[in-house]
Amino acid sequence: MSDGPTSKQQPTDPSAHSSTTGMVGGGFYDANSATQWNAIKVDFPMLDKAVANLPLNDDELITLADFGCSEGRNSINVMIHILADLLPLTSAQILTVHSDLPTNDFSELFVNLRPEGHSVFGSDRVFSTAIGGSMYDQLLPSRSVHLATTFNAIGFLSRKPVDRMPGYIFPNGPSAIRNNGYVSEQDRQAFSEQAKQDVAQYLHVRAKELVPGGKLLVEVFGFKDDIRTCDGIYDLLNDAVLAHVETGDIARDTYEQYYQPVYLRDLEELTAPVTDKTYKSAGLFSLDQSMSYEVPVPFVEDYRKDGNLERYVKDYVNFFRAFTEAVLRNALPETPERNQLVDRIYRRAEEILRANPDDYPFRYVAVAMLLTRLG
């Protein structure tokens, strides 16, 4: 028996194949992801179609896997919807798998899976597990998964394709309204290609895990026409960070090296790796359905109804803080004051939005596709 890792058994980097350490934990992401849930619900007809056409065998375990589960509220509710369709179709036992990065806050997930010590799914045929790992790696046994899903997580790239972006903190660039920065065309292309390579890698490893005829649903925030999900939120975060560059709290070099390693795809960029022979994923799946769509944003709708600016400011900033904070914190020098600086940046975002709410309008577009594993 070994007392520890040998030279051939070194512990792996938990951030390998990932450009973030995950969402804000402690229930914060669950509390601020209602907009993401609105986007997920639009995909329910595709999920219903997928379940109705699954290759089922009552003699084998049926596995459902969700990649990018975060704290679990949305992931679990997706499984509840799937199981409502699936349980009447089979007498087999079912395993739900909830996966995210090793640095994810799984404690909230486990509480959500077994409230009061019992399975949230309410069936003695349904069991659940969690796996920590990058969604760009194979995480489950070959030919063991019947239905796999991912919602939004594939928007976070597997790696940072450029070392720095001196003009803005987001690769799709600023909105036309604020126009508060720039991204070079060369950098845009680097991110576009990395995003397609990431989809190809994701499809490649999921193809290994899926049974022939298994289904895969991929959904992620994106853009269509002139509506971009990045507009507003990243303009505001960029302005808040720059405010601290101007005061000297953040060095200009730190700002130029910091950016959110997220890319907004349109529908063509999402689906290209399914059929384009340039990518290793081509020919592994059939493309059953794809679509782009806009969904209502709860805090925007509430503000339109009652004009409560203070609630709007708090909900707006908390919404994007839930998925941007980890990357921002890790980009700042590791000092005793780093956490306080992060808090000040988001408070500054609130102040800027409160003073100029019309400068940061926000809309939410998603792109999605349903695939079938060939072979």
Side-chain angles (χ1 to χ4, degrees), residues 317-362:
V317 175
N318 281 348
F319 166 74
F320 71 78
R321 181 171 186 167
F323 51 82
T324 60
E325 180 182 311
V327 173
L328 174 59
R329 174 181 286 104
N330 291 333
L332 298 173
E334 191 173 351
T335 67
E337 295 78 30
R338 181 167 64 171
N339 287 343
Q340 290 87 342
L341 176 57
V342 170
D343 286 338
R344 293 202 305 274
I345 291 169
Y346 287 103
R347 285 201 302 271
R348 182 66 178 131
E350 291 179 359
E351 294 167 1
I352 294 170
L353 182 61
R354 187 179 295 111
N356 303 283
D358 293 339
D359 287 351
Y360 305 95
F362 177 63

mmCIF file of all heavy atoms in Angstrom, residues 317-362:
data_model
loop_
_atom_site.group_PDB
_atom_site.id
_atom_site.type_symbol
_atom_site.label_atom_id
_atom_site.label_comp_id
_atom_site.label_asym_id
_atom_site.label_seq_id
_atom_site.Cartn_x
_atom_site.Cartn_y
_atom_site.Cartn_z
ATOM 1 N N VAL A 317 -26.704 43.065 -10.772
ATOM 2 C CA VAL A 317 -25.293 42.834 -10.454
ATOM 3 C C VAL A 317 -25.085 41.446 -9.860
ATOM 4 O O VAL A 317 -24.108 40.754 -10.192
ATOM 5 C CB VAL A 317 -24.761 43.936 -9.522
ATOM 6 C CG1 VAL A 317 -23.327 43.625 -9.083
ATOM 7 C CG2 VAL A 317 -24.807 45.297 -10.234
ATOM 8 N N ASN A 318 -25.995 41.002 -9.004
ATOM 9 C CA ASN A 318 -25.861 39.649 -8.452
ATOM 10 C C ASN A 318 -25.947 38.590 -9.547
ATOM 11 O O ASN A 318 -25.272 37.553 -9.482
ATOM 12 C CB ASN A 318 -26.947 39.393 -7.408
ATOM 13 C CG ASN A 318 -26.623 40.032 -6.070
ATOM 14 O OD1 ASN A 318 -25.507 40.488 -5.835
ATOM 15 N ND2 ASN A 318 -27.605 40.074 -5.193
ATOM 16 N N PHE A 319 -26.775 38.849 -10.558
ATOM 17 C CA PHE A 319 -26.913 37.910 -11.672
ATOM 18 C C PHE A 319 -25.566 37.641 -12.325
ATOM 19 O O PHE A 319 -25.149 36.485 -12.488
ATOM 20 C CB PHE A 319 -27.914 38.461 -12.691
ATOM 21 C CG PHE A 319 -27.883 37.762 -14.025
ATOM 22 C CD1 PHE A 319 -28.414 36.491 -14.166
ATOM 23 C CD2 PHE A 319 -27.303 38.376 -15.134
ATOM 24 C CE1 PHE A 319 -28.375 35.833 -15.401
ATOM 25 C CE2 PHE A 319 -27.268 37.736 -16.361
ATOM 26 C CZ PHE A 319 -27.797 36.461 -16.490
ATOM 27 N N PHE A 320 -24.840 38.694 -12.725
ATOM 28 C CA PHE A 320 -23.571 38.427 -13.422
ATOM 29 C C PHE A 320 -22.421 38.182 -12.458
ATOM 30 O O PHE A 320 -21.429 37.561 -12.822
ATOM 31 C CB PHE A 320 -23.251 39.510 -14.454
ATOM 32 C CG PHE A 320 -22.859 40.861 -13.927
ATOM 33 C CD1 PHE A 320 -21.579 41.101 -13.446
ATOM 34 C CD2 PHE A 320 -23.753 41.931 -13.967
ATOM 35 C CE1 PHE A 320 -21.200 42.361 -12.997
ATOM 36 C CE2 PHE A 320 -23.380 43.190 -13.531
ATOM 37 C CZ PHE A 320 -22.102 43.401 -13.044
ATOM 38 N N ARG A 321 -22.552 38.619 -11.213
ATOM 39 C CA ARG A 321 -21.510 38.291 -10.241
ATOM 40 C C ARG A 321 -21.427 36.784 -10.030
ATOM 41 O O ARG A 321 -20.338 36.235 -9.832
ATOM 42 C CB ARG A 321 -21.777 38.985 -8.906
ATOM 43 C CG ARG A 321 -20.708 38.694 -7.856
ATOM 44 C CD ARG A 321 -20.848 39.541 -6.607
ATOM 45 N NE ARG A 321 -19.726 39.307 -5.707
ATOM 46 C CZ ARG A 321 -19.429 40.065 -4.650
ATOM 47 N NH1 ARG A 321 -20.187 41.116 -4.349
ATOM 48 N NH2 ARG A 321 -18.377 39.780 -3.895
ATOM 49 N N ALA A 322 -22.561 36.100 -10.093
ATOM 50 C CA ALA A 322 -22.603 34.655 -9.822
ATOM 51 C C ALA A 322 -21.700 33.865 -10.753
ATOM 52 O O ALA A 322 -21.153 32.829 -10.351
ATOM 53 C CB ALA A 322 -24.052 34.149 -9.935
ATOM 54 N N PHE A 323 -21.502 34.343 -11.993
ATOM 55 C CA PHE A 323 -20.675 33.574 -12.931
ATOM 56 C C PHE A 323 -19.404 34.298 -13.371
ATOM 57 O O PHE A 323 -18.624 33.749 -14.141
ATOM 58 C CB PHE A 323 -21.478 33.130 -14.164
ATOM 59 C CG PHE A 323 -22.242 34.216 -14.874
ATOM 60 C CD1 PHE A 323 -21.608 35.048 -15.781
ATOM 61 C CD2 PHE A 323 -23.596 34.395 -14.642
ATOM 62 C CE1 PHE A 323 -22.301 36.040 -16.442
ATOM 63 C CE2 PHE A 323 -24.309 35.385 -15.299
ATOM 64 C CZ PHE A 323 -23.662 36.217 -16.204
ATOM 65 N N THR A 324 -19.170 35.521 -12.875
ATOM 66 C CA THR A 324 -17.949 36.244 -13.242
ATOM 67 C C THR A 324 -16.962 36.389 -12.093
ATOM 68 O O THR A 324 -15.777 36.658 -12.324
ATOM 69 C CB THR A 324 -18.272 37.660 -13.762
ATOM 70 O OG1 THR A 324 -18.953 38.399 -12.733
ATOM 71 C CG2 THR A 324 -19.146 37.597 -15.016
ATOM 72 N N GLU A 325 -17.418 36.225 -10.860
ATOM 73 C CA GLU A 325 -16.560 36.553 -9.716
ATOM 74 C C GLU A 325 -15.303 35.698 -9.644
ATOM 75 O O GLU A 325 -14.205 36.204 -9.363
ATOM 76 C CB GLU A 325 -17.344 36.426 -8.407
ATOM 77 C CG GLU A 325 -16.493 36.758 -7.186
ATOM 78 C CD GLU A 325 -17.231 36.600 -5.873
ATOM 79 O OE1 GLU A 325 -18.357 37.133 -5.751
ATOM 80 O OE2 GLU A 325 -16.681 35.925 -4.983
ATOM 81 N N ALA A 326 -15.430 34.399 -9.874
ATOM 82 C CA ALA A 326 -14.275 33.509 -9.710
ATOM 83 C C ALA A 326 -13.136 33.901 -10.643
ATOM 84 O O ALA A 326 -11.971 33.959 -10.236
ATOM 85 C CB ALA A 326 -14.692 32.058 -9.953
ATOM 86 N N VAL A 327 -13.462 34.188 -11.906
ATOM 87 C CA VAL A 327 -12.428 34.566 -12.864
ATOM 88 C C VAL A 327 -11.815 35.911 -12.488
ATOM 89 O O VAL A 327 -10.587 36.093 -12.539
ATOM 90 C CB VAL A 327 -13.002 34.615 -14.291
ATOM 91 C CG1 VAL A 327 -11.968 35.167 -15.270
ATOM 92 C CG2 VAL A 327 -13.449 33.229 -14.728
ATOM 93 N N LEU A 328 -12.631 36.860 -12.094
ATOM 94 C CA LEU A 328 -12.127 38.168 -11.685
ATOM 95 C C LEU A 328 -11.187 38.045 -10.489
ATOM 96 O O LEU A 328 -10.086 38.605 -10.497
ATOM 97 C CB LEU A 328 -13.294 39.097 -11.354
ATOM 98 C CG LEU A 328 -12.919 40.459 -10.766
ATOM 99 C CD1 LEU A 328 -12.016 41.237 -11.720
ATOM 100 C CD2 LEU A 328 -14.166 41.261 -10.427
ATOM 101 N N ARG A 329 -11.602 37.320 -9.483
ATOM 102 C CA ARG A 329 -10.770 37.172 -8.287
ATOM 103 C C ARG A 329 -9.419 36.543 -8.636
ATOM 104 O O ARG A 329 -8.372 37.009 -8.185
ATOM 105 C CB ARG A 329 -11.475 36.324 -7.235
ATOM 106 C CG ARG A 329 -10.581 36.023 -6.019
ATOM 107 C CD ARG A 329 -11.243 35.167 -4.972
ATOM 108 N NE ARG A 329 -12.229 35.932 -4.223
ATOM 109 C CZ ARG A 329 -13.528 35.843 -4.392
ATOM 110 N NH1 ARG A 329 -14.024 34.981 -5.284
ATOM 111 N NH2 ARG A 329 -14.351 36.583 -3.684
ATOM 112 N N ASN A 330 -9.443 35.488 -9.428
ATOM 113 C CA ASN A 330 -8.198 34.796 -9.761
ATOM 114 C C ASN A 330 -7.282 35.621 -10.653
ATOM 115 O O ASN A 330 -6.073 35.340 -10.729
ATOM 116 C CB ASN A 330 -8.507 33.457 -10.425
ATOM 117 C CG ASN A 330 -9.131 32.456 -9.466
ATOM 118 O OD1 ASN A 330 -8.895 32.524 -8.261
ATOM 119 N ND2 ASN A 330 -9.933 31.538 -9.982
ATOM 120 N N ALA A 331 -7.824 36.643 -11.317
ATOM 121 C CA ALA A 331 -7.010 37.511 -12.166
ATOM 122 C C ALA A 331 -6.296 38.598 -11.375
ATOM 123 O O ALA A 331 -5.329 39.196 -11.869
ATOM 124 C CB ALA A 331 -7.878 38.156 -13.242
ATOM 125 N N LEU A 332 -6.751 38.850 -10.163
ATOM 126 C CA LEU A 332 -6.167 39.901 -9.334
ATOM 127 C C LEU A 332 -4.997 39.347 -8.525
ATOM 128 O O LEU A 332 -4.980 38.160 -8.187
ATOM 129 C CB LEU A 332 -7.224 40.481 -8.388
ATOM 130 C CG LEU A 332 -8.424 41.145 -9.061
ATOM 131 C CD1 LEU A 332 -9.472 41.528 -8.017
ATOM 132 C CD2 LEU A 332 -7.986 42.368 -9.868
ATOM 133 N N PRO A 333 -4.008 40.177 -8.216
ATOM 134 C CA PRO A 333 -2.885 39.712 -7.393
ATOM 135 C C PRO A 333 -3.363 39.141 -6.071
ATOM 136 O O PRO A 333 -4.314 39.654 -5.466
ATOM 137 C CB PRO A 333 -2.056 40.986 -7.186
ATOM 138 C CG PRO A 333 -2.414 41.872 -8.337
ATOM 139 C CD PRO A 333 -3.853 41.575 -8.638
ATOM 140 N N GLU A 334 -2.729 38.061 -5.642
ATOM 141 C CA GLU A 334 -3.125 37.402 -4.405
ATOM 142 C C GLU A 334 -2.565 38.169 -3.210
ATOM 143 O O GLU A 334 -1.424 37.973 -2.800
ATOM 144 C CB GLU A 334 -2.630 35.962 -4.388
ATOM 145 C CG GLU A 334 -3.227 35.126 -3.270
ATOM 146 C CD GLU A 334 -2.862 33.661 -3.378
ATOM 147 O OE1 GLU A 334 -2.282 33.269 -4.410
ATOM 148 O OE2 GLU A 334 -3.148 32.918 -2.422
ATOM 149 N N THR A 335 -3.381 39.054 -2.658
ATOM 150 C CA THR A 335 -3.008 39.867 -1.509
ATOM 151 C C THR A 335 -4.066 39.698 -0.421
ATOM 152 O O THR A 335 -5.176 39.214 -0.690
ATOM 153 C CB THR A 335 -2.924 41.349 -1.890
ATOM 154 O OG1 THR A 335 -4.250 41.819 -2.214
ATOM 155 C CG2 THR A 335 -2.009 41.562 -3.091
ATOM 156 N N PRO A 336 -3.776 40.111 0.812
ATOM 157 C CA PRO A 336 -4.777 40.007 1.891
ATOM 158 C C PRO A 336 -6.037 40.822 1.608
ATOM 159 O O PRO A 336 -7.093 40.537 2.167
ATOM 160 C CB PRO A 336 -4.025 40.549 3.117
ATOM 161 C CG PRO A 336 -2.585 40.330 2.815
ATOM 162 C CD PRO A 336 -2.450 40.528 1.332
ATOM 163 N N GLU A 337 -5.919 41.830 0.723
ATOM 164 C CA GLU A 337 -7.067 42.706 0.445
ATOM 165 C C GLU A 337 -7.839 42.290 -0.807
ATOM 166 O O GLU A 337 -8.755 42.988 -1.231
ATOM 167 C CB GLU A 337 -6.584 44.158 0.269
ATOM 168 C CG GLU A 337 -5.989 44.788 1.513
ATOM 169 C CD GLU A 337 -4.560 44.321 1.775
ATOM 170 O OE1 GLU A 337 -3.840 44.013 0.799
ATOM 171 O OE2 GLU A 337 -4.179 44.235 2.964
ATOM 172 N N ARG A 338 -7.482 41.140 -1.416
ATOM 173 C CA ARG A 338 -8.098 40.798 -2.700
ATOM 174 C C ARG A 338 -9.609 40.632 -2.584
ATOM 175 O O ARG A 338 -10.357 41.150 -3.427
ATOM 176 C CB ARG A 338 -7.471 39.525 -3.270
ATOM 177 C CG ARG A 338 -8.065 39.135 -4.619
ATOM 178 C CD ARG A 338 -7.256 38.075 -5.328
ATOM 179 N NE ARG A 338 -7.243 36.807 -4.600
ATOM 180 C CZ ARG A 338 -6.745 35.673 -5.100
ATOM 181 N NH1 ARG A 338 -6.195 35.678 -6.304
ATOM 182 N NH2 ARG A 338 -6.761 34.569 -4.397
ATOM 183 N N ASN A 339 -10.090 39.933 -1.579
ATOM 184 C CA ASN A 339 -11.537 39.721 -1.451
ATOM 185 C C ASN A 339 -12.282 41.042 -1.269
ATOM 186 O O ASN A 339 -13.375 41.242 -1.819
ATOM 187 C CB ASN A 339 -11.840 38.781 -0.295
ATOM 188 C CG ASN A 339 -11.481 37.342 -0.604
ATOM 189 O OD1 ASN A 339 -11.294 36.973 -1.763
ATOM 190 N ND2 ASN A 339 -11.364 36.510 0.425
ATOM 191 N N GLN A 340 -11.680 41.953 -0.484
ATOM 192 C CA GLN A 340 -12.318 43.255 -0.285
ATOM 193 C C GLN A 340 -12.350 44.049 -1.583
ATOM 194 O O GLN A 340 -13.329 44.754 -1.877
ATOM 195 C CB GLN A 340 -11.573 44.053 0.789
ATOM 196 C CG GLN A 340 -11.739 43.498 2.200
ATOM 197 C CD GLN A 340 -10.714 42.418 2.536
ATOM 198 O OE1 GLN A 340 -10.103 41.841 1.642
ATOM 199 N NE2 GLN A 340 -10.545 42.155 3.825
ATOM 200 N N LEU A 341 -11.293 43.911 -2.393
ATOM 201 C CA LEU A 341 -11.268 44.599 -3.678
ATOM 202 C C LEU A 341 -12.351 44.064 -4.602
ATOM 203 O O LEU A 341 -13.038 44.831 -5.290
ATOM 204 C CB LEU A 341 -9.887 44.449 -4.327
ATOM 205 C CG LEU A 341 -9.718 45.039 -5.737
ATOM 206 C CD1 LEU A 341 -10.070 46.525 -5.757
ATOM 207 C CD2 LEU A 341 -8.306 44.812 -6.247
ATOM 208 N N VAL A 342 -12.534 42.759 -4.614
ATOM 209 C CA VAL A 342 -13.598 42.167 -5.429
ATOM 210 C C VAL A 342 -14.952 42.720 -5.007
ATOM 211 O O VAL A 342 -15.774 43.111 -5.851
ATOM 212 C CB VAL A 342 -13.573 40.632 -5.314
ATOM 213 C CG1 VAL A 342 -14.813 40.024 -5.960
ATOM 214 C CG2 VAL A 342 -12.319 40.063 -5.970
ATOM 215 N N ASP A 343 -15.194 42.780 -3.708
ATOM 216 C CA ASP A 343 -16.467 43.336 -3.221
ATOM 217 C C ASP A 343 -16.631 44.783 -3.668
ATOM 218 O O ASP A 343 -17.735 45.191 -4.074
ATOM 219 C CB ASP A 343 -16.529 43.261 -1.693
ATOM 220 C CG ASP A 343 -16.768 41.851 -1.180
ATOM 221 O OD1 ASP A 343 -17.283 41.016 -1.953
ATOM 222 O OD2 ASP A 343 -16.440 41.581 -0.001
ATOM 223 N N ARG A 344 -15.569 45.563 -3.619
ATOM 224 C CA ARG A 344 -15.654 46.974 -4.017
ATOM 225 C C ARG A 344 -15.955 47.112 -5.502
ATOM 226 O O ARG A 344 -16.682 48.016 -5.920
ATOM 227 C CB ARG A 344 -14.355 47.717 -3.667
ATOM 228 C CG ARG A 344 -14.100 47.864 -2.183
ATOM 229 C CD ARG A 344 -13.149 49.026 -1.891
ATOM 230 N NE ARG A 344 -11.887 48.932 -2.603
ATOM 231 C CZ ARG A 344 -10.823 48.262 -2.171
ATOM 232 N NH1 ARG A 344 -10.888 47.590 -1.024
ATOM 233 N NH2 ARG A 344 -9.692 48.249 -2.873
ATOM 234 N N ILE A 345 -15.418 46.220 -6.304
ATOM 235 C CA ILE A 345 -15.681 46.279 -7.744
ATOM 236 C C ILE A 345 -17.167 46.077 -8.027
ATOM 237 O O ILE A 345 -17.776 46.826 -8.802
ATOM 238 C CB ILE A 345 -14.834 45.237 -8.491
ATOM 239 C CG1 ILE A 345 -13.353 45.615 -8.447
ATOM 240 C CG2 ILE A 345 -15.301 45.094 -9.944
ATOM 241 C CD1 ILE A 345 -12.414 44.525 -8.923
ATOM 242 N N TYR A 346 -17.767 45.075 -7.387
ATOM 243 C CA TYR A 346 -19.193 44.839 -7.636
ATOM 244 C C TYR A 346 -20.066 45.925 -7.012
ATOM 245 O O TYR A 346 -21.130 46.257 -7.561
ATOM 246 C CB TYR A 346 -19.581 43.440 -7.163
ATOM 247 C CG TYR A 346 -19.036 42.352 -8.078
ATOM 248 C CD1 TYR A 346 -17.924 41.604 -7.719
ATOM 249 C CD2 TYR A 346 -19.609 42.122 -9.321
ATOM 250 C CE1 TYR A 346 -17.403 40.628 -8.560
ATOM 251 C CE2 TYR A 346 -19.093 41.160 -10.180
ATOM 252 C CZ TYR A 346 -17.986 40.419 -9.799
ATOM 253 O OH TYR A 346 -17.465 39.467 -10.647
ATOM 254 N N ARG A 347 -19.636 46.497 -5.900
ATOM 255 C CA ARG A 347 -20.370 47.643 -5.340
ATOM 256 C C ARG A 347 -20.276 48.840 -6.280
ATOM 257 O O ARG A 347 -21.247 49.587 -6.455
ATOM 258 C CB ARG A 347 -19.830 48.010 -3.958
ATOM 259 C CG ARG A 347 -20.243 47.053 -2.847
ATOM 260 C CD ARG A 347 -20.138 47.700 -1.479
ATOM 261 N NE ARG A 347 -18.785 48.182 -1.193
ATOM 262 C CZ ARG A 347 -17.842 47.442 -0.617
ATOM 263 N NH1 ARG A 347 -18.104 46.172 -0.284
ATOM 264 N NH2 ARG A 347 -16.642 47.939 -0.372
ATOM 265 N N ARG A 348 -19.102 49.014 -6.895
ATOM 266 C CA ARG A 348 -18.955 50.098 -7.857
ATOM 267 C C ARG A 348 -19.858 49.866 -9.062
ATOM 268 O O ARG A 348 -20.457 50.813 -9.606
ATOM 269 C CB ARG A 348 -17.491 50.202 -8.315
ATOM 270 C CG ARG A 348 -17.236 51.334 -9.285
ATOM 271 C CD ARG A 348 -17.450 52.693 -8.646
ATOM 272 N NE ARG A 348 -17.168 53.782 -9.561
ATOM 273 C CZ ARG A 348 -17.971 54.808 -9.772
ATOM 274 N NH1 ARG A 348 -19.128 54.900 -9.108
ATOM 275 N NH2 ARG A 348 -17.633 55.757 -10.606
ATOM 276 N N ALA A 349 -20.000 48.618 -9.487
ATOM 277 C CA ALA A 349 -20.930 48.308 -10.580
ATOM 278 C C ALA A 349 -22.350 48.720 -10.204
ATOM 279 O O ALA A 349 -23.090 49.269 -11.043
ATOM 280 C CB ALA A 349 -20.871 46.819 -10.906
ATOM 281 N N GLU A 350 -22.741 48.472 -8.976
ATOM 282 C CA GLU A 350 -24.069 48.885 -8.525
ATOM 283 C C GLU A 350 -24.215 50.406 -8.589
ATOM 284 O O GLU A 350 -25.258 50.927 -9.029
ATOM 285 C CB GLU A 350 -24.319 48.386 -7.105
ATOM 286 C CG GLU A 350 -24.461 46.881 -6.985
ATOM 287 C CD GLU A 350 -24.695 46.434 -5.549
ATOM 288 O OE1 GLU A 350 -24.736 47.307 -4.648
ATOM 289 O OE2 GLU A 350 -24.837 45.213 -5.322
ATOM 290 N N GLU A 351 -23.192 51.122 -8.166
ATOM 291 C CA GLU A 351 -23.251 52.583 -8.182
ATOM 292 C C GLU A 351 -23.375 53.111 -9.609
ATOM 293 O O GLU A 351 -24.162 54.030 -9.880
ATOM 294 C CB GLU A 351 -21.992 53.152 -7.517
ATOM 295 C CG GLU A 351 -21.884 52.852 -6.031
ATOM 296 C CD GLU A 351 -20.497 53.158 -5.476
ATOM 297 O OE1 GLU A 351 -19.629 53.618 -6.260
ATOM 298 O OE2 GLU A 351 -20.279 52.923 -4.272
ATOM 299 N N ILE A 352 -22.608 52.543 -10.523
ATOM 300 C CA ILE A 352 -22.652 52.987 -11.921
ATOM 301 C C ILE A 352 -24.019 52.708 -12.530
ATOM 302 O O ILE A 352 -24.601 53.554 -13.223
ATOM 303 C CB ILE A 352 -21.546 52.278 -12.731
ATOM 304 C CG1 ILE A 352 -20.163 52.714 -12.253
ATOM 305 C CG2 ILE A 352 -21.713 52.558 -14.221
ATOM 306 C CD1 ILE A 352 -19.028 51.888 -12.846
ATOM 307 N N LEU A 353 -24.558 51.522 -12.280
ATOM 308 C CA LEU A 353 -25.871 51.155 -12.831
ATOM 309 C C LEU A 353 -26.964 52.011 -12.232
ATOM 310 O O LEU A 353 -27.883 52.449 -12.949
ATOM 311 C CB LEU A 353 -26.150 49.674 -12.567
ATOM 312 C CG LEU A 353 -27.468 49.122 -13.115
ATOM 313 C CD1 LEU A 353 -27.516 49.245 -14.639
ATOM 314 C CD2 LEU A 353 -27.653 47.665 -12.693
ATOM 315 N N ARG A 354 -26.879 52.274 -10.949
ATOM 316 C CA ARG A 354 -27.888 53.100 -10.281
ATOM 317 C C ARG A 354 -27.928 54.503 -10.887
ATOM 318 O O ARG A 354 -29.014 55.088 -11.067
ATOM 319 C CB ARG A 354 -27.591 53.172 -8.784
ATOM 320 C CG ARG A 354 -28.670 53.869 -7.957
ATOM 321 C CD ARG A 354 -28.304 53.879 -6.477
ATOM 322 N NE ARG A 354 -28.271 52.528 -5.923
ATOM 323 C CZ ARG A 354 -27.142 51.905 -5.536
ATOM 324 N NH1 ARG A 354 -25.967 52.514 -5.652
ATOM 325 N NH2 ARG A 354 -27.206 50.691 -5.024
ATOM 326 N N ALA A 355 -26.762 55.025 -11.237
ATOM 327 C CA ALA A 355 -26.690 56.378 -11.784
ATOM 328 C C ALA A 355 -27.079 56.439 -13.250
ATOM 329 O O ALA A 355 -27.587 57.480 -13.725
ATOM 330 C CB ALA A 355 -25.274 56.928 -11.595
ATOM 331 N N ASN A 356 -26.852 55.328 -13.981
ATOM 332 C CA ASN A 356 -27.079 55.346 -15.433
ATOM 333 C C ASN A 356 -27.725 54.037 -15.903
ATOM 334 O O ASN A 356 -27.136 53.306 -16.719
ATOM 335 C CB ASN A 356 -25.748 55.548 -16.164
ATOM 336 C CG ASN A 356 -25.021 56.797 -15.741
ATOM 337 O OD1 ASN A 356 -25.368 57.899 -16.150
ATOM 338 N ND2 ASN A 356 -23.995 56.624 -14.905
ATOM 339 N N PRO A 357 -28.918 53.702 -15.461
ATOM 340 C CA PRO A 357 -29.516 52.408 -15.819
ATOM 341 C C PRO A 357 -29.767 52.235 -17.314
ATOM 342 O O PRO A 357 -29.712 51.112 -17.821
ATOM 343 C CB PRO A 357 -30.829 52.385 -15.028
ATOM 344 C CG PRO A 357 -31.134 53.821 -14.734
ATOM 345 C CD PRO A 357 -29.800 54.487 -14.572
ATOM 346 N N ASP A 358 -30.009 53.323 -18.038
ATOM 347 C CA ASP A 358 -30.302 53.208 -19.466
ATOM 348 C C ASP A 358 -29.068 52.891 -20.300
ATOM 349 O O ASP A 358 -29.194 52.521 -21.478
ATOM 350 C CB ASP A 358 -30.933 54.506 -19.987
ATOM 351 C CG ASP A 358 -32.314 54.746 -19.396
ATOM 352 O OD1 ASP A 358 -32.928 53.763 -18.933
ATOM 353 O OD2 ASP A 358 -32.757 55.907 -19.392
ATOM 354 N N ASP A 359 -27.884 53.004 -19.716
ATOM 355 C CA ASP A 359 -26.651 52.734 -20.458
ATOM 356 C C ASP A 359 -26.324 51.241 -20.538
ATOM 357 O O ASP A 359 -25.432 50.851 -21.301
ATOM 358 C CB ASP A 359 -25.463 53.449 -19.809
ATOM 359 C CG ASP A 359 -25.485 54.945 -20.048
ATOM 360 O OD1 ASP A 359 -26.318 55.403 -20.861
ATOM 361 O OD2 ASP A 359 -24.686 55.673 -19.417
ATOM 362 N N TYR A 360 -27.042 50.415 -19.770
ATOM 363 C CA TYR A 360 -26.683 48.998 -19.669
ATOM 364 C C TYR A 360 -27.893 48.076 -19.854
ATOM 365 O O TYR A 360 -28.181 47.235 -19.014
ATOM 366 C CB TYR A 360 -26.022 48.728 -18.308
ATOM 367 C CG TYR A 360 -24.833 49.619 -18.049
ATOM 368 C CD1 TYR A 360 -24.971 50.802 -17.325
ATOM 369 C CD2 TYR A 360 -23.579 49.301 -18.549
ATOM 370 C CE1 TYR A 360 -23.876 51.629 -17.096
ATOM 371 C CE2 TYR A 360 -22.480 50.124 -18.326
ATOM 372 C CZ TYR A 360 -22.638 51.292 -17.600
ATOM 373 O OH TYR A 360 -21.554 52.103 -17.383
ATOM 374 N N PRO A 361 -28.637 48.226 -20.948
ATOM 375 C CA PRO A 361 -29.784 47.328 -21.179
ATOM 376 C C PRO A 361 -29.294 45.900 -21.401
ATOM 377 O O PRO A 361 -28.241 45.676 -21.995
ATOM 378 C CB PRO A 361 -30.432 47.902 -22.440
ATOM 379 C CG PRO A 361 -29.318 48.620 -23.143
ATOM 380 C CD PRO A 361 -28.450 49.182 -22.058
ATOM 381 N N PHE A 362 -30.088 44.944 -20.917
ATOM 382 C CA PHE A 362 -29.670 43.543 -20.992
ATOM 383 C C PHE A 362 -30.782 42.685 -21.564
ATOM 384 O O PHE A 362 -31.939 42.771 -21.139
ATOM 385 C CB PHE A 362 -29.288 43.029 -19.597
ATOM 386 C CG PHE A 362 -28.923 41.567 -19.580
ATOM 387 C CD1 PHE A 362 -27.826 41.104 -20.290
ATOM 388 C CD2 PHE A 362 -29.689 40.641 -18.875
ATOM 389 C CE1 PHE A 362 -27.487 39.759 -20.298
ATOM 390 C CE2 PHE A 362 -29.361 39.299 -18.862
ATOM 391 C CZ PHE A 362 -28.257 38.855 -19.575
#
